Amino acid sequence: MPYTAKKPTRARSSEELRAAIPGWGVDLDPKDRPSVPKEQFDPTLNGARWDFPERQEEKWPRERSIEHKFLTPVFGTSTPPKGLSGVIRKYSYKKYSEGRAAHWLLLLAADRVDAVEHHLRSFVSLRPDNPITQTGVLSEFSRHGITSRIGKKRVDVNHQWIDPLLVGGPWLVAGGLGVAAVRRLMRLRRT
Amino acid sequence: MRAMVYRGPYKIRVEEKDIPPIEHPNDAIVRVTTAAICGSDLHLFHGMMPDTRVGMTFGHEFVGVVEQVGSSVQNLKPGDRVMVPFNVYCGTCYFCARGLYSNCHNVNANATAVGGIYGYSHTCGGYDGGQAEYVRVPFADIGPSLIPEWMDEEDAVLLTDALATGYFGAQLGDIVEGDTVVVFGAGPVGLFAAKSSWLMGAGRVIVIDHLEYRLEKARTFAHAETYNFAEYDDIVVEMKKATDYLGADVVIDAVGAEADGNFLQHVTSSKFKLQGGSPIALNWAIDAVRKGGTVSVVGAYGPMFSAVKFGDALNKGLTLRMNQAPVKRQWPRLFDHIRNGYLKPSDIVTHRIPLEHIAEGYHIFSAKLDNCIKPLILPAAN
């Protein structure tokens, strides 16, 4: 009890635990723990032969955090910014530091614009987006979707119903708007 | 090559992409033989991480064979079987020189608040990941290691993140002999954190989750006591009762940004992205630990704000410790533990999925179908 000085009695002694659990206590001494202490100075780690790494070629103006003094010597080259989403991303990097909520909210907004841009582009390609196959939802039928949930006291079932709305909702709205637009055009042509 | 490609929240597909080229003299190109889906990949899949671009290939847990090396690479050659830590890091910046590989300052142009991570959005550097047939590995002389002859490939892939992170999480707890350790989350990292807590001399290890099949794994694999928080009105009070009202000495948050247990917190973060992560497990950790105790956080959170009960942490005099794991720093000791039979990481693998079916793999893992704990991805099984 915390109301007196004594520590609560242990259910099992160290000897009992050592006998019951393979490896119990082998890292008891902090000296055997690789991340103790947190910082361990070793500037020649793994035989690194540079003080500052050679610079990777910058093949397009690479967006960077304004909290960096300069472009890092090595950087990822996946998916350069493009389209309206790219404009938003570049603005966010140029204008706001990582400490500003606006920076992250703009990047999240750009992510959604990016998805819409690519969905639209996919419809004029040979491989249009398919929310059925791309969500993997068909595994609900082959991987026990119902029995994985029913009677399991899972608390996540209270919000999983939102997922189809989040994924399918925009598609349904877009489809509905498309149908409405076509009907309106047809009506206009008739009159 | 074939590669998993993000198409927007909750949507991925496999596409034909160019094999990545050497972009820097110390790069290697690795042909991936086994990859894994990490719980933190689900945050990307669900669109929670800012600057996750359509077209990116995810995957920060992978092993493979070196296909090509840049002109300055000395430690690897084509044909070597390698395991690659999830951290991209240079080895010599201020932080790497002090062992903080996950905080490298030379590899992430997009942010200073996080290091480089393969396949984990532009916020983590904009590197394509290993859920593909090939992947670019920067600083090939620094991060990757040869897979020892005696090591199983599935054990090796779990060393690239999940095991190293769980073990690191237990270290952050500064466990002393006889401590009571509570682990929130019975996913791969939580299971490994629980198991590692015993290695550091814990007197009692308690694992909390709401998925009964994972709690069963925590009992059999990690020798832990378990509590299903869905069965209790207030899991914090239960932890107080379980510790004679003292609270746990150490609590490890191995859940992160999509924690369940509070509808409003979960929905505002995971569904509507109004927080950097759902801090339910973290808040429970702060409330369940004893005054003066330590909370270790290895669950992944995004860069935006979250509604964390910081006042309780202050008023209880807690030590809060956290980081992304500096993976390679853990390896020598973990290699010993695997060789000595104290750890068998691949025991938690439940699914092995061909790359072509990766969308189903993400859904199975995300929706917790089929008793899924850890799915591996096999690029060559198509």
Side-chain angles (χ1 to χ4, degrees), chain A residues 135 140 149 154 156 159-160 163, chain B residues 10 37-39 41-43 45-46 211 213-214 258 260 270-271 359-369 372 375:
Chain A
T135 53
E140 288 284 337
R149 294 187 178 89
R154 290 175 51 166
D156 53 346
H159 57 71
Q160 285 187 343
D163 294 345
Chain B
Y10 294 82
I37 307 176
C38 177
D41 286 330
L42 298 178
H43 310 329
F45 180 57
H46 295 152
L211 297 167
Y213 72 91
R214 289 190 172 193
E258 292 189 73
D260 263 305
S270 183
K271 308 298 182 200
E360 282 86 358
Y362 267 81
H363 185 77
I364 292 165
F365 195 28
S366 170
K368 310 292 181 286
L369 305 183
C372 184

Side-chain angles (χ1 to χ4, degrees), chain A residues 15-49:
Chain A
E15 289 66 37
E16 287 171 312
L17 288 167
R18 192 173 280 115
I21 296 170
W24 184 89
V26 293
D27 289 335
L28 198 48
D29 186 342
K31 288 197 202 79
D32 290 326
R33 301 177 187 178
S35 280
V36 178
K38 179 165 87 170
E39 296 191 11
Q40 297 168 37
F41 189 66
D42 177 10
T44 58
L45 173 80
N46 292 333
R49 300 169 301 281

Side-chain angles (χ1 to χ4, degrees), chain A residues 93-153:
Chain A
Y93 279 107
K94 199 173 170 183
K95 178 84 178 164
Y96 297 110
S97 76
E98 299 160 55
R100 304 280 291 275
H103 175 67
W104 303 112
L105 292 169
L106 278 169
L107 289 175
L108 274 176
D111 291 348
R112 300 299 167 264
V113 171
D114 190 21
V116 171
E117 287 174 326
H118 278 83
H119 291 329
L120 292 175
R121 206 171 299 149
S122 82
F123 294 137
V124 291
S125 74
L126 293 174
R127 196 178 177 197
D129 277 317
N130 179 339
I132 305 292
T133 57
Q134 289 176 4
T135 53
V137 72
L138 292 174
S139 59
E140 288 284 337
F141 303 106
S142 58
R143 300 290 188 154
H144 316 109
I146 293 172
T147 55
S148 293
R149 294 187 178 89
I150 300 293
K152 304 287 187 190
K153 296 182 199 158

